[in-house]
Every structure is written in structure tokens, then in C-alpha cells.
């Protein structure tokens, strides 16, 4: 591991230290872009601790989802006021795999 | 599936956390054939926590702390009110907390602790199906009302049982669906959730012990309030493990939304406070984690049992968000109560809601229920008195600092000025009301 200072790490830096069993072929999060297109607040962009949700760089009305970074807390699911996020558990053994927890 | 191929057991538990494992341990020990379905590769793979209260576990597995992977016992607790650059601290500890049974308060890495607990549950005779995702309950509608008769797992496999204990935690997809389908009555108020975020920071053992003034396996549990959490409903924590520090905070999701501030920003604000910064200096991040916490308390708890089903732990909302911040202990207590009820129901051969009514009765007679009831106003106080967590800690910090700041003026003038500054901008009527309300938190 690098001797990067514990202060001022980006979320991407932090997630790099967390262990995952990736499952790129089976996204466990699917957002309904027709819902997102009509949503101005996009609370998912704010509340996700892993910054899984970003404004789509090609179309700011859309939401880009990096499901492989998901920490599986479920916060987005509770926060979206329009039920626009279809969130399932990843397949057995896949997804985040806490070593400390 | 042909009937002959059906897997049928006495009990299925959904979720291999403290609640589910306690239910399984109790049922397996009573001779029930029990399966635990856990979606993680191992029990604990999806769990986050730091502090474990062990009074219930100590009844199930006496002196568990001699064998379980506990990092340190908590010999000292601290409540720290953070100003912008100041802090006020209340510290309390006891020699007796450093001796068995260690005040039943331990710092653990849940991934390791839950895995150990799962092995004890297997030793008691239960079967663990790790890496298996429970998708939904299976029902029998022959008698008119729905009766849960098993669990469908991903891959379209089905497992049948007389009774299902739902212990799928805070992010409870199976419980939520079952509540709608059966249906089970919701609580008097909607469940409220917080999100907890945590960093595991490695430091050499000796540095942790020097930095926090700890001897041997003693640990410290610190709770933080104040400026880094201004504008949101939340607070921070720091637990010293053996060679790591757990540093994190939890905040109500709705409050983050209102403030328009993300969990990672709050975490950085917290780490920037000079006191916190010095605690973690030179450390190396090992893991970043997040987990939800049901914070609605007593009034958000709905029906706990239905036909063939009991709900335990976080999935049922058994978290006490007062200063005690107790969750795992309540999970274990409700899980054990569900296990005892299943054993009783098997004797009578009645697994309907009526046959499982003993669960609600046991829970109502227990500590978790009494404590959640005692602290039922905590969610309301936190929402209606946000100044308790932000403005007042800031004010008290300034008051003390100005009292003891040396200047050229006489003490009397200096103290008057400090008090004037304290009262300036302080909503006096509300301050008194909030102080009276604060009794609900401790």
C-alpha cells in the first residue's frame, strides 16, 4: 500500500482499500432513467457513501451508476423519493466483502 | 420440484448476523433441524460495527470473550463535544471494567466476530448456507390466510420449513416484502434510517496504547458531537481495536438530504478537527465501509410475528439510539426469543401466528423492549432539538475557552464578556426547553 496520508483521501482512494468480489456482468442496481429525467434533486448523488451515482457526463438528466463500487448499505433505496432505484442483493458471495467490518 | 426431493427442516433463518445466529444457536441447541441462509461468502462479510454489548451472548455462550475474536474490552468511555477548534470532554472509566466480564462491552471487527459466532452455531448443530441469497418467502394458502412454509433462494431453489426467522438486517429486502405479502402490521410511525460510515485505520499497537492511555487489552470508546455534524442529525465515534482504530459517524439520511451534504464530506469534516486529526495521524486506511441503522425506535416497531414467520434484530428495528447506542445485544436477545418460541411451537405443532404468539410475549418481557420504550422519544428529540448536537456544544466550548483565555483585562471583566458572548444568539426559551428534553437521551 502507498503511504498516502490518511487525511484528504478521495472516495475512490478509500474504496480501493475495500475488498470486493466483482460481478461486472450482473448489475444489482438498475435505475429507471425516465424517473431520473424528471427528478431535479437527484438525492442519490448526495447520500451515497460510495458515490455510486454520478450525473451522466453525456446527458446531465441521466444518472450513471457504478454498481461495482456499492457498499450495499441500501441508503439510496431509502432516499429515492420516486422508487426509481431497483436494488437487489448481489449474487451469493459477490459484491463487497468486508475483512474488518 | 417433486415432493420427495423437497428439503424440509424445522426452521430456516434468513441472515447470519447476531440476530439470525442467536436464533439458530437457540433452535439447534433445542434439537431443531436448522438452516441459516447467508448471502455473504461468510457470515460477517456484509456486516459493519465496532462495539458489541455481550450480556445476552454471555448467557448463550458463557465467557465467550475468552474464545471469541474480541479486539479490546472497553475500560473507558468518553463523550466529546467538538467546537470549531476546541473540545470539551467527559471521560469515565473504571478498574472493574478492565476485569472479567469486562462490563460486557467489547470492541470487535464484526467480519471476524460474526464468522466466529457462525462456527459456534454450526457446532451447536445448525447448517450454514453461506453465499446463498434468500429472495422471498414461500407460502401455503390452503387454510385461507397465507402461511410461510419456506424460502426461495436465487437460482430458483426452494427450502421448506415449519418456521422462518427473518433476520436480514437493516437493509432488509426479504422482510420488507414479507411484511407486504402476509401482511404484517407496520409500526405507529414510519421507520427512519441513518447511514453509518466508517474507516478502519491501522496504527502500531504501542502507538494506539500510548495515544489513548491504554494498558494491555483495555480499549476506549469515544462518542463525538458538535461542529463537524452541524446541520445534520448525527454524531461520530472512535473505537480503539488492537492494531486499528474504528473512526466513523452515523447521520439520519433525511438530514443529509436536507443539508445537501454527502457522507464522505461529513467524514472529511470530522477528520479535519484538530483533536480527531491527531488521533489518526500516521495511520493507514485499511477499509472503508457503510451500513444503514434503523433509528425510528419504539414507535417504528411493527408486528413481530405472523403465520410461520418471526422478525428479529435490525430487520425488526431493535436499535436504541440513545447514548448507549445498543443494537447487537438487542439483535441477540430478539433472535434468542424467536428461537425459544420456535422450539415451543414445535412441541405444540402450531406454527401459525397464534402458535408463535409467544415471541411477542417474550420480547415484551425483555430488556430490548423495555429500553426502546424508555428511549422512545430519542428520534423526536433529535429532530426537534437540533441545537443540542451543534449550537450548544459550540457555545459551551467557547464559554470555557474564553473563561480561561488570558488577557490584559481583569478576570471579572473577562468572565462577564465570556458569559455575554455565550448568551448572544442563544435562543433562551428554546435552550431551557432543549435542556429539559435532553433527559430523554441519557
Amino acid at each position: 500500500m502507498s503511504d498516502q496520508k490518511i487525511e484528504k483521501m478521495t472516495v475512490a482512494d478509500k474504496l480501493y482499500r475495500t475488498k470486493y468480489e466483482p460481478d461486472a456482468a450482473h448489475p444489482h442496481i438498475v435505475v429507471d432513467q425516465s424517473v431520473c429525467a424528471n427528478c431535479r434533486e437527484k438525492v442519490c448523488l448526495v447520500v451515497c457513501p460510495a458515490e455510486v451515482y454520478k450525473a451522466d457526463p453525456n446527458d446531465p438528466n441521466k444518472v450513471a451508476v457504478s454498481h461495482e463500487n456499492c457498499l450495499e448499505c441500501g441508503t439510496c433505496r431509502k432516499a429515492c423519493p420516486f422508487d426509481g432505484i431497483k436494488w437487489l442483493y448481489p449474487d451469493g458471495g459477490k459484491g463487497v466483502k468486508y475483512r474488518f467490518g | 420440484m417433486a415432493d420427495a426431493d423437497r428439503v424440509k427442516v424445522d426452521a430456516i433463518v434468513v441472515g447470519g448476523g447476531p440476530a439470525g445466529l442467536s436464533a439458530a444457536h437457540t433452535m439447534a441447541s433445542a434439537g431443531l433441524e436448522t438452516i441459516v441462509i447467508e448471502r455473504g461468502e461468510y457470515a460477517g462479510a456484509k456486516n459493519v460495527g465496532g462495539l458489541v454489548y455481550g450480556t445476552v451472548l454471555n448467557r448463550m455462550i458463557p465467557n465467550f470473550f475468552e474464545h471469541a475474536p474480541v479486539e479490546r474490552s472497553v475500560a473507558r468511555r468518553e463523550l466529546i463535544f467538538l467546537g470549531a477548534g476546541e473540545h470539551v470532554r467527559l471521560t469515565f472509566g473504571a478498574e472493574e471494567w478492565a476485569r472479567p466480564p469486562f462490563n460486557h462491552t467489547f470492541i470487535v471487527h464484526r467480519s471476524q466476530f460474526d464468522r466466529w459466532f457462525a462456527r459456534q452455531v454450526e457446532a451447536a448443530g445448525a447448517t450454514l448456507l453461506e453465499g446463498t441469497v434468500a429472495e422471498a418467502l414461500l407460502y401455503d394458502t390452503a387454510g385461507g390466510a397465507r402461511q410461510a412454509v419456506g424460502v426461495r433462494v436465487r437460482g430458483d431453489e426452494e427450502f421448506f420449513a415449519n418456521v422462518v426467522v427473518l433476520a436480514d438486517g437493516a437493509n432488509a429486502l426479504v422482510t420488507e416484502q414479507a411484511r407486504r405479502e402476509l401482511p404484517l402490521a407496520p409500526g405507529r410511525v414510519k421507520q427512519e434510517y441513518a447511514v453509518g460510515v466508517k474507516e478502519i485505520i491501522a496504527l502500531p499497537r504501542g502507538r494506539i496504547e500510548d495515544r489513548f492511555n491504554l494498558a494491555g487489552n483495555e480499549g476506549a470508546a469515544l462518542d463525538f458531537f458538535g461542529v463537524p455534524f452541524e446541520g445534520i442529525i448525527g454524531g461520530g465515534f472512535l473505537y480503539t481495536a488492537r492494531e486499528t482504530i474504528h473512526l466513523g459517524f452515523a447521520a439520519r439520511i433525511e438530514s443529509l438530504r436536507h443539508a445537501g451534504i454527502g457522507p464522505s464530506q461529513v467524514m472529511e469534516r470530522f477528520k479535519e478537527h484538530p483533536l480527531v486529526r491527531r488521533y489518526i495521524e500516521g495511520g493507514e486506511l485499511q477499509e472503508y465501509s457503510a451500513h444503514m441503522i434503523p433509528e425510528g425506535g419504539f414507535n417504528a416497531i411493527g408486528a413481530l410475528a405472523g403465520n410461520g414467520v418471526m422478525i428479529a434484530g435490525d430487520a425488526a428495528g431493535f436499535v436504541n439510539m440513545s447514548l448507549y447506542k445498543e443494537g447487537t445485544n438487542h439483535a441477540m436477545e430478539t433472535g434468542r426469543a424467536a428461537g425459544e418460541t420456535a422450539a415451543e411451537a414445535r412441541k405444540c405443532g402450531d406454527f401459525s401466528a397464534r402458535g408463535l404468539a409467544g415471541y411477542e410475549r417474550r420480547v415484551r418481557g425483555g430488556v430490548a423492549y423495555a429500553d426502546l420504550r424508555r428511549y422512545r422519544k430519542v428520534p423526536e428529540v433529535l429532530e426537534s432539538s437540533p441545537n443540542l448536537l451543534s449550537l450548544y456544544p459550540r457555545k459551551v466550548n467557547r464559554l470555557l475557552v474564553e473563561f480561561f483565555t488570558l488577557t490584559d483585562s481583569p478576570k471579572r471583566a473577562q468572565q462577564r464578556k465570556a458569559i455575554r458572548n455565550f448568551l448572544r444568539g442563544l435562543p433562551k426559551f428554546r435552550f431551557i426547553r432543549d435542556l429539559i428534553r435532553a433527559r430523554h437521551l441519557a
Side-chain angles (χ1 to χ4, degrees), chain B residues 69-185:
Chain B
V70 297
E71 294 275 311
R72 291 176 188 272
S73 57
V74 174
R76 191 173 78 242
R77 304 197 69 145
E78 300 185 9
L79 305 177
I80 302 175
F81 299 88
L82 299 173
E86 315 86 353
H87 70 270
V88 174
R89 183 199 315 250
L90 178 65
T91 299
F92 43 100
E95 274 296 303
E96 62 182 272
W97 287 0
R99 291 193 298 269
F102 304 105
N103 193 30
H104 302 284
T105 310
F106 301 95
I107 294 158
V108 306
H109 289 135
R110 282 286 303 282
S111 169
Q112 293 154 21
F113 186 81
D114 289 14
R115 219 178 318 180
W116 166 85
F117 193 9
R119 297 292 87 81
Q120 313 312 304
V121 170
E122 282 182 315
T127 302
L128 246 87
L129 295 180
E130 289 162 311
T132 307
V133 182
E135 297 254 67
L137 292 184
L138 300 165
Y139 301 103
D140 180 356
T141 49
R146 279 186 157 159
Q147 168 85 26
V149 293
V151 173
R152 180 166 51 79
V153 305
R154 193 165 298 172
D156 271 337
E157 236 184 306
E158 296 179 334
F159 295 95
F160 292 87
N162 287 320
V163 63
V164 178
V165 177
L166 292 175
D168 44 346
N171 190 17
L173 299 186
V174 186
T175 293
E176 285 173 23
Q177 191 180 334
R179 276 196 176 282
R180 287 192 300 270
E181 288 170 347
L182 275 162
L184 289 178

Side-chain angles (χ1 to χ4, degrees), chain B residues 169-250:
Chain B
N171 190 17
L173 299 186
V174 186
T175 293
E176 285 173 23
Q177 191 180 334
R179 276 196 176 282
R180 287 192 300 270
E181 288 170 347
L182 275 162
L184 289 178
R188 281 200 284 134
V189 301
K190 199 168 166 260
Q191 185 59 272
E192 286 283 339
Y193 292 88
V195 56
V197 169
K198 190 171 77 171
E199 296 186 5
I200 297 285
I201 297 163
L203 274 167
R205 186 178 177 150
R207 289 217 18 222
I208 292 178
E209 287 163 6
D210 288 348
R211 221 170 256 192
F212 293 90
N213 191 22
L214 302 168
N217 287 328
E218 290 173 14
L222 285 54
D223 286 307
F224 296 87
F225 312 89
V227 165
F229 312 105
E230 239 167 28
I232 58 173
I233 302 173
F237 59 84
L238 185 157
Y239 307 135
T240 60
R242 207 164 314 189
E243 294 179 305
T244 55
I245 285 171
H246 300 238
L247 183 78
F249 77 95

Side-chain angles (χ1 to χ4, degrees), chain A residues 68-80:
Chain A
E68 64 282 2
N69 289 340
C70 179
L71 296 169
E72 296 169 41
C73 63
T75 300
C76 54
R77 206 164 74 70
K78 297 291 176 190
C80 177

Side-chain angles (χ1 to χ4, degrees), chain B residues 125-419:
Chain B
T127 302
L128 246 87
L129 295 180
E130 289 162 311
T132 307
V133 182
E135 297 254 67
L137 292 184
L138 300 165
Y139 301 103
D140 180 356
T141 49
R146 279 186 157 159
Q147 168 85 26
V149 293
V151 173
R152 180 166 51 79
V153 305
R154 193 165 298 172
D156 271 337
E157 236 184 306
E158 296 179 334
F159 295 95
F160 292 87
N162 287 320
V163 63
V164 178
V165 177
L166 292 175
D168 44 346
N171 190 17
L173 299 186
V174 186
T175 293
E176 285 173 23
Q177 191 180 334
R179 276 196 176 282
R180 287 192 300 270
E181 288 170 347
L182 275 162
L184 289 178
R188 281 200 284 134
V189 301
K190 199 168 166 260
Q191 185 59 272
E192 286 283 339
Y193 292 88
V195 56
V197 169
K198 190 171 77 171
E199 296 186 5
I200 297 285
I201 297 163
L203 274 167
R205 186 178 177 150
R207 289 217 18 222
I208 292 178
E209 287 163 6
D210 288 348
R211 221 170 256 192
F212 293 90
N213 191 22
L214 302 168
N217 287 328
E218 290 173 14
L222 285 54
D223 286 307
F224 296 87
F225 312 89
V227 165
F229 312 105
E230 239 167 28
I232 58 173
I233 302 173
F237 59 84
L238 185 157
Y239 307 135
T240 60
R242 207 164 314 189
E243 294 179 305
T244 55
I245 285 171
H246 300 238
L247 183 78
F249 77 95
R252 204 70 74 74
I253 295 171
E254 266 304 301
S255 74
L256 291 167
R257 180 186 173 190
H258 280 298
I261 178 168
S264 54
Q265 289 165 272
V266 177
M267 190 72 201
E268 290 312 299
R269 239 162 46 174
F270 182 34
K271 284 162 75 179
E272 276 165 19
H273 191 281
L275 180 74
V276 177
R277 195 173 62 220
R278 276 194 292 273
Y279 277 147
I280 59 172
E281 211 161 53
E284 201 173 5
L285 184 72
Q286 301 295 304
E287 187 173 85
Y288 176 68
S289 56
H291 209 274
M292 275 200 300
I293 305 163
E295 284 201 349
F298 188 75
N299 291 329
I301 292 176
L304 298 174
N307 292 324
V309 182
M310 291 176 276
I311 308 172
D314 276 12
F318 279 99
V319 175
N320 174 0
M321 281 312 289
S322 71
L323 283 177
Y324 291 93
K325 295 206 285 188
E326 195 163 356
T328 44
N329 213 13
H330 294 338
M332 291 178 188
E333 184 189 326
T334 51
R336 181 181 61 181
E340 288 167 356
T341 307
E344 180 184 75
R346 192 177 64 152
K347 275 189 201 145
C348 309
D350 182 0
F351 300 96
S352 70
R354 192 189 304 166
L356 299 176
Y359 178 48
E360 199 120 8
R361 203 173 52 239
R362 281 184 172 82
V363 170
R364 280 170 186 270
V367 173
Y369 192 86
D371 284 357
L372 259 70
R373 194 189 170 105
R374 158 77 177 83
Y375 293 107
R376 67 190 178 283
K377 292 205 169 144
V378 168
E380 177 189 321
V381 171
L382 293 178
E383 276 162 41
S384 63
S385 306
N387 287 343
L388 278 173
L389 298 175
S390 50
L391 180 67
Y392 307 149
R394 186 193 274 272
K395 284 264 177 203
V396 170
N397 268 294
R398 285 310 302 166
L399 178 69
L400 286 168
V401 166
E402 285 173 22
F403 239 82
F404 288 97
T405 297
L406 294 186
T407 64
D408 294 331
S409 28
K411 296 289 178 291
R412 193 178 161 85
Q414 177 73 14
Q415 289 165 358
R416 276 189 174 165
K417 195 176 136 209
I419 291 167

Side-chain angles (χ1 to χ4, degrees), chain A residues 11-23:
Chain A
V11 169
D13 291 336
K14 292 179 186 183
L15 294 175
Y16 184 69
R17 311 295 175 96
T18 298
K19 203 170 170 194
Y20 293 90
E21 200 62 57
D23 192 8

